[in-house]
Amino acid sequence: MQTVPNHQVENLQIEDDRTGLSVECLKRAFLDNLFYVQGKFPKIATKNDYYMALAYTVRDRLLQRWINTAVIYTERASRTVSYLSAEFLMGPHLGNNLVNLGIYDQVKQAVSELGLDLEDLLEQEEEPGLGNGGLGRLAACYLDSMATLEIPSLGYGIRYEFGIFDQDIRDGWQVEITDKWLHCGNPWEIARPEWEVYVKLGGHTEAYTDEHGRYRVRWIPYQVVKGVPHDTPILGYKTNTANTLRLWTAEAPESFDFGAFNSGDYLGAVQAKMVSENLSKVLYPNDDSSQGKRLRLAQQIFFVSCSLQDMIRIVFRQNVPLEKFHEKFVVQLNDTHPAIAVAELMRLLIDEHDMGWDQAWSITQKSLAYTNHTLLPEALERWPISLFRSLLPRHLEIIYEINYHFLEEVKAKFPGDSDRLRRMSLIDESGEKYVRMAHLACVGSHSINGVAALHTKLLQQDVLRDFYQMYPEKFNNKTNGVTPRRFMVLSNPRLTNLISSKIGDSWIKHLKDLKKLEAFVDDPEFCHQWRSIKSAIKHDLVAYIQKQNGISVNPDSIFDIQAKRFHEYKRQHLNALHIITLYNRIKANPDIDITPRTFIFGGKAAPGYYMAKLIIKLLNSIADVVNNDPDVRDRLKVVFLKDYSVKFAQRVYPAADLSEQISMAGKEASGTGNMKFALNGALTIGTLDGANVEIRDEVGAENFFIFGLTAPEVYALKARGYRPLDYYHSNRELKAVIDRIASGHFSHGDTQLFKPLLDSLLHRDEYLLFADYQAYIDCQDNVSQVYRDRDRWTRMSILNVARMGKFSSDRSIRDYCQDIWNIQSVPIELGECIQAKE
Ligand code: B1H
């Protein structure tokens, strides 16, 4: 960016209507944008026109902060975090920006004086669903926290034209529909074609000797793709800092069209253009698994190369010598999806910027840091060598060389241990050869972190044990967190206001201050208010469910919610076993006294994940039967809410009484939904997995419903030889549940429909549902008992919220800053010349 010299800026008049925050000013600006940007007048304006006019009004206010931030970062050449992620699950921008600007109420008033309803306009926004689940949402929470903590940062990723698919449910099955988040335009981004970069793909390499007689390699690519950055401002909460999310779109370079024009191959040129544009076309919809597709690897090198080249451009523009790249930038790799950065940074430094190997390697290691997010073997990325070579021939050479040096190091530290060399090599040679991306990330980074205490421990003991023994100093834990701005202030204004009326609003930036709520836990008036708010929110969800699903729900029942991606390890089907257990009890004894419950599910399954889709079908089938069985008499309801998204999550978390976090211990790296539920006053039923362990430690075991095998018990049971059939035969209620499904009771007599699921449970049960079944049912029975004592439940709910301080993403980011990034905040003052005039 070209900065405008100060003396010129002093004379520049920035219109009041672009920066002012008063209701009057906002109204004027809104109408102005409707007219001049959207090209409409009130009589013919659609709701979407109004949304766009409001979005531009807010964007103008962001721009002032954004430009000031950029000016200061550029002038000071501030040390910057570069967060590389294949996913950013941002959620709707408008509401969040209103909260962070501190103008929610003013805007609400302004639009209402114009005869409009703010909530209505907020509903219009198509959220950018550029992520699958927890990993992408974590990246978004971290951007919010970095801006709030005034940490210079850039988020780098891909501007997918199609984000995560929209989910419809037809006849109980998930149906995927393409997401068209861009079809009405995106008012939050600004394209920066002047900073385009080029990425090479395919082809071959050639060795040559340069003018100094040095051995060099030249890469002659088969294809070149252009990356165009699209920037979105990320405003901090009540600060002037507005950082940047920079997402890359793939385009064909003009030269392609030109060449084809000359040769007359017009269709060929268009074909090439389409191939290039494919790179940023669609998000891979897998959560916690890797498919090994060529296009996916192409996406990874595309956004990594664009981002590293962009950083090098910034280094040069700020007159930082390239040898100090690692002083200007620290690059955090969000899982292995950007791990190709290790080889790409080496290639850029050596091949494109004439640096020697040792110096390039030192800079690379000092710059990069790696976060691991999974313990699932199927999620560890590896690329067949043949595929890798055909797309990235130069990177493969570099990886071989890194591997050579690395294995020498291993030999020196562990002489004579050839098995260890085989295990640790960057290349898996046990069968077909693969590049192991997690190993590449470990070797090329100075820091390796897990995302919850238990997860980090399991990485050290198991998945990355050899690397822990080799480089113990690189390993550290950074427990995940969530932003209280989006997941409390924006999504739960009623609870936010009650809390702030008692303890002030410092907790929004310092979540630990919620502790002060403990002083009110014995105040009957406060407890009463707490309960009425939860009840009012539940009533709202009841209305929504009535409208969406046509199911009438009892608002006094326990709202028992499991909302997350569908995966066998997360065990939504264990929850189903509980529902059927209660159903069976009612069928056996229709007058049985059961605490009424509403079971609510939300979440998507990967389109190719058959078992997960069958579990969705099972839940919908159970819903059909249970909701319509007269014996049940409104004591149980099952609701599947389709098309779970960030927008939707914001509606669901505040309404929960009970949060289901029931993964098999040792499988869920952290979980972050668990934090969002608890922060909104839900109690958790959960296993000792991921961050559940730390949540329970914080809120107190007496305020948490824990059950099931621990991670070591899981390993021990599997090592002994686990036989699910034994549980089936020895547990009467479990057997009755399985038999009920097998009988076709939930499938109109079809005994085949759920057979694959039942067979998998009876004969393998990889995730130990049967082993945990009784403990889960007992724990749920206890939940039902406790819920009947409403005062006790309310007290537990308040204590959960009061003790959630640790789980703010602000805390996570502070830990990253201190232990990995070595970076300080840079406060932004609004320059006088472009300061808001009220
Ligand atoms: C998490 C993923 C993930 N871990 C592969 N791994 C993907 C893996 O498209 N892919 O190929 C996409 C996503 N996602 C989640 O990260 C963990 O399961 C959660 O436990 C954790 O809370 C979250 C954030 O750390």
Side-chain angles (χ1 to χ4, degrees):
M1 191 194 70
Q2 200 73 33
T3 49
V4 184
N6 263 338
H7 57 91
Q8 285 182 23
V9 175
E10 267 157 19
N11 301 326
L12 211 148
Q13 268 297 317
I14 303 271
E15 289 284 319
D16 224 15
D17 282 5
R18 296 248 157 141
T19 56
L21 304 178
S22 66
V23 173
E24 270 318 300
C25 196
L26 289 163
K27 270 163 70 178
R28 263 200 322 276
F30 176 72
L31 291 174
D32 188 77
N33 279 314
L34 181 68
F35 192 89
Y36 286 105
V37 182
Q38 207 50 23
K40 286 283 185 78
F41 54 96
K43 198 156 186 185
I44 60 159
T46 64
K47 239 183 223 171
N48 187 62
D49 292 326
Y50 284 122
Y51 158 73
M52 293 293 271
L54 184 55
Y56 284 115
T57 304
V58 172
R59 193 183 90 171
D60 287 339
R61 274 111 194 116
L62 294 179
L63 272 166
Q64 179 200 20
R65 287 158 179 82
W66 203 13
I67 291 168
N68 270 279
T69 304
V71 167
I72 289 173
Y73 289 172
T74 306
E75 275 172 4
R76 305 212 194 142
S78 310
R79 180 164 168 79
T80 300
V81 178
S82 172
Y83 199 86
L84 261 58
S85 179
E87 306 187 6
F88 286 94
L89 195 45
M90 299 302 290
H93 289 291
L94 178 55
N96 198 246
N97 282 326
L98 294 179
V99 165
N100 284 10
L101 275 168
I103 57 169
Y104 196 98
D105 294 338
Q106 293 92 306
V107 167
K108 196 175 168 68
Q109 189 185 335
V111 297
S112 106
E113 287 177 15
L114 294 168
L116 297 162
D117 176 32
L118 178 58
E119 307 302 317
D120 239 24
L121 299 187
L122 291 173
E123 269 305 305
Q124 284 300 305
E125 183 169 352
E126 284 272 354
E127 75 174 72
L130 309 187
N132 276 289
L135 173 136
R137 183 54 233 177
L138 185 76
C141 284
Y142 282 179
L143 294 186
D144 179 88
S145 284
M146 287 190 282
T148 298
L149 295 172
E150 305 177 308
I151 301 298
S153 67
L154 270 160
Y156 280 114
I158 302 174
R159 182 175 173 276
Y160 301 105
E161 185 179 336
F162 302 108
I164 187 68
F165 60 86
D166 292 340
Q167 179 194 53
D168 197 5
I169 301 293
R170 297 188 193 153
D171 187 29
W173 294 96
Q174 166 176 300
V175 174
E176 298 94 24
I177 298 163
T178 47
D179 153 66
K180 300 207 181 67
W181 72 287
L182 288 168
H183 81 291
C184 288
N186 174 8
W188 303 104
E189 68 183 4
I190 296 185
R192 305 289 191 191
E194 66 276 25
W195 295 329
E196 67 188 25
V197 292
Y198 293 85
V199 178
K200 299 187 240 186
L201 298 170
H204 64 278
T205 62
E206 284 174 1
Y208 70 101
T209 310
D210 71 9
E211 63 273 25
H212 308 290
R214 281 185 307 179
Y215 172 85
R216 300 290 293 273
V217 177
R218 179 187 294 133
W219 175 11
I220 295 104
Y222 169 75
Q223 186 192 2
V224 175
V225 179
K226 182 164 84 180
V228 180
H230 288 67
D231 289 358
T232 302
I234 306 295
L235 181 69
Y237 178 72
K238 296 193 178 168
T239 68
N240 295 317
T241 297
N243 290 326
T244 296
L245 170 61
R246 181 161 291 165
L247 301 179
W248 299 94
T249 300
E251 291 182 11
E254 283 76 16
S255 57
F256 259 89
D257 299 351
F258 195 64
F261 174 75
N262 284 338
S263 65
D265 183 11
Y266 175 70
L267 290 179
V270 174
Q271 178 73 26
K273 187 169 152 58
M274 278 163 50
V275 170
S276 299
E277 288 170 358
N278 263 340
L279 281 189
S280 56
K281 194 58 83 182
V282 59
L283 167 77
Y284 276 85
N286 302 312
D287 193 61
D288 268 331
S289 84
S290 153
Q291 276 197 324
K293 289 278 191 292
R294 182 188 179 88
L295 180 60
R296 170 79 172 179
L297 181 59
Q299 289 185 336
Q300 296 183 350
I301 186 64
F302 167 69
F303 93 91
V304 165
S305 180
C306 287
S307 308
L308 287 170
Q309 291 185 62
D310 194 55
M311 288 176 235
I312 291 174
R313 174 185 62 81
I314 293 170
V315 161
F316 284 137
R317 189 192 61 201
Q318 298 185 356
N319 293 318
V320 176
L322 193 56
E323 292 69 31
K324 296 194 169 181
F325 180 91
H326 56 284
E327 293 180 18
K328 167 70 195 174
F329 282 112
V330 57
V331 181
Q332 192 69 38
L333 307 176
N334 199 23
D335 215 283
T336 53
H337 318 145
I340 190 64
V342 176
E344 174 65 1
L345 184 52
M346 288 296 283
R347 189 191 69 79
L348 288 167
L349 295 176
I350 294 170
D351 292 358
E352 315 255 332
H353 295 281
D354 297 343
M355 207 178 269
W357 180 277
D358 291 344
Q359 186 171 30
W361 184 241
S362 156
I363 291 172
T364 297
Q365 280 193 317
K366 283 187 207 151
S367 305
L368 303 183
Y370 161 52
T371 305
N372 173 292
H373 291 268
T374 185
L375 297 156
L376 298 187
E378 64 268 34
L380 294 178
E381 288 192 299
R382 24 173 239 166
W383 298 103
I385 293 274
S386 50
L387 188 162
F388 202 97
R389 182 185 295 112
S390 78
L391 194 67
L392 303 171
R394 179 59 182 139
H395 296 79
L396 189 60
E397 293 173 359
I398 291 172
I399 287 171
Y400 281 143
E401 185 155 352
I402 295 172
N403 201 31
Y404 170 78
H405 293 295
F406 167 61
L407 293 178
E408 287 299 306
E409 244 185 276
V410 179
K411 276 185 215 160
K413 184 149 182 173
F414 302 97
D417 193 344
S418 62
D419 201 48
R420 185 182 294 268
L421 292 178
R422 188 185 51 70
R423 292 196 309 265
M424 295 187 78
S425 172
L426 303 187
I427 311 295
D428 177 350
E429 305 196 48
S430 55
E432 190 194 350
K433 288 193 190 178
Y434 291 94
V435 181
R436 295 163 159 161
M437 298 309 275
H439 294 203
L440 180 63
C442 285
V443 174
S445 301
H446 67 278
S447 163
I448 302 166
N449 77 278
V451 291
L454 174 65
H455 170 232
T456 301
K457 195 174 105 191
L458 294 174
L459 284 179
Q460 291 172 350
Q461 288 175 356
D462 187 18
V463 182
L464 298 176
R465 187 180 61 224
D466 291 325
F467 288 88
Y468 182 54
Q469 289 172 358
M470 180 85 192
Y471 307 118
E473 71 288 348
K474 286 192 187 183
F475 280 75
N476 61 97
N477 174 246
K478 292 289 163 283
T479 298
N480 285 167
V482 301
T483 170
R485 272 74 66 182
R486 182 177 290 275
F487 292 107
M488 270 295 268
V489 180
L490 177 62
S491 63
N492 201 342
R494 287 176 275 207
L495 202 57
T496 296
N497 290 336
L498 175 62
I499 292 171
S500 295
S501 74
K502 292 292 178 194
I503 63 169
D505 63 5
S506 65
W507 60 273
I508 298 169
K509 273 203 185 195
H510 304 278
L511 202 63
K512 287 243 156 110
D513 289 353
L514 283 176
K515 194 107 208 148
K516 297 179 192 159
L517 278 179
E518 286 196 31
F520 298 91
V521 73
D522 292 318
D523 173 344
E525 173 61 19
F526 179 72
C527 293
H528 174 74
Q529 289 172 317
W530 191 271
R531 209 151 95 194
S532 342
I533 285 172
K534 182 62 91 179
S535 166
I537 299 168
K538 286 169 72 178
H539 274 88
D540 289 352
L541 190 61
V542 166
Y544 181 86
I545 291 171
Q546 182 65 255
K547 194 161 145 237
Q548 275 286 314
N549 297 45
I551 301 172
S552 53
V553 160
N554 170 6
D556 293 325
S557 61
I558 305 177
F559 277 27
D560 173 338
I561 309 188
Q562 189 167 16
K564 52 181 77 239
R565 284 298 289 252
F566 272 79
H567 200 297
E568 288 163 280
Y569 85 78
K570 296 178 188 280
R571 303 200 295 192
Q572 281 94 349
H573 45 339
L574 179 59
N575 193 337
L577 300 187
H578 174 232
I579 301 173
I580 300 172
T581 303
L582 295 182
Y583 176 71
N584 281 347
R585 287 179 188 169
I586 290 174
K587 293 307 277 183
N589 174 8
D591 291 325
I592 192 172
D593 186 14
I594 276 188
T595 312
R597 280 212 202 208
T598 302
F599 297 89
I600 299 172
F601 294 88
K604 295 173 183 175
Y609 189 171
Y610 172 71
M611 213 46 111
K613 292 173 119 176
L614 191 57
I615 294 171
I616 291 179
K617 171 69 176 167
L618 174 64
L619 292 171
N620 283 308
S621 305
I622 295 171
D624 278 348
V625 172
V626 170
N627 297 346
N628 298 308
D629 187 323
D631 286 346
V632 174
R633 278 191 256 128
D634 270 13
R635 283 169 293 181
L636 305 179
K637 283 277 155 64
V638 183
V639 178
F640 189 98
L641 291 169
K642 69 172 185 186
D643 204 28
Y644 194 64
S645 62
V646 176
K647 188 194 259 184
F648 194 56
Q650 289 170 209
R651 188 194 285 279
V652 167
Y653 295 125
D657 293 307
L658 188 67
S659 151
E660 297 271 352
Q661 307 300 336
I662 59 178
S663 52
M664 182 182 82
K667 287 292 171 188
E668 190 70 271
S670 163
T672 44
N674 46 6
M675 301 168 188
K676 296 163 198 166
F677 277 113
L679 183 60
N680 282 275
L683 305 188
T684 306
I685 182 164
T687 48
L688 280 175
D689 199 14
N692 294 353
V693 178
E694 290 157 82
I695 295 176
R696 187 197 61 155
D697 286 349
E698 291 293 309
V699 305
E702 67 286 6
N703 299 305
F704 196 101
F705 298 101
I706 201 88
F707 75 94
L709 299 173
T710 61
E713 287 166 354
V714 165
Y715 294 128
L717 175 56
K718 292 207 166 193
R720 281 206 305 276
Y722 170 57
R723 296 211 312 227
L725 269 178
D726 293 353
Y727 293 83
Y728 168 79
H729 286 300
S730 62
N731 188 319
R732 193 183 48 78
E733 276 202 305
L734 173 60
K735 182 167 186 304
V737 168
I738 298 298
D739 293 349
R740 176 80 80 178
I741 302 172
S743 75
H745 189 83
F746 302 108
S747 41
H748 307 286
D750 181 348
T751 54
Q752 295 305 297
L753 181 59
F754 298 117
K755 193 161 184 298
L757 185 58
L758 296 179
D759 283 347
S760 141
L761 289 176
L762 288 164
H763 303 300
R764 282 190 305 282
D765 193 15
E766 192 183 343
Y767 300 107
L768 305 185
L769 278 76
F770 287 9
D772 272 344
Y773 171 80
Q774 195 56 51
Y776 182 53
I777 298 298
D778 292 344
C779 192
Q780 288 285 23
D781 289 343
N782 183 230
V783 167
S784 290
Q785 274 311 312
V786 174
Y787 191 76
R788 289 169 174 241
D789 181 349
R790 305 307 296 272
D791 290 339
R792 178 170 169 207
W793 188 278
T794 302
R795 192 188 157 82
M796 290 168 76
S797 165
I798 296 169
L799 288 177
N800 263 264
V801 176
R803 297 172 180 177
M804 282 302 289
K806 172 174 172 184
F807 303 100
S808 167
S809 44
D810 299 345
R811 188 270 314 147
S812 311
I813 288 300
R814 277 198 201 94
D815 291 350
Y816 276 92
C817 287
Q818 258 185 29
D819 304 344
I820 305 177
W821 297 341
N822 182 30
I823 195 167
Q824 264 86 46
S825 63
V826 176
I828 305 296
E829 303 272 327
L830 292 189
E832 267 176 33
C833 48
I834 32 184
Q835 194 154 22
K837 293 185 197 129
E838 282 280 12

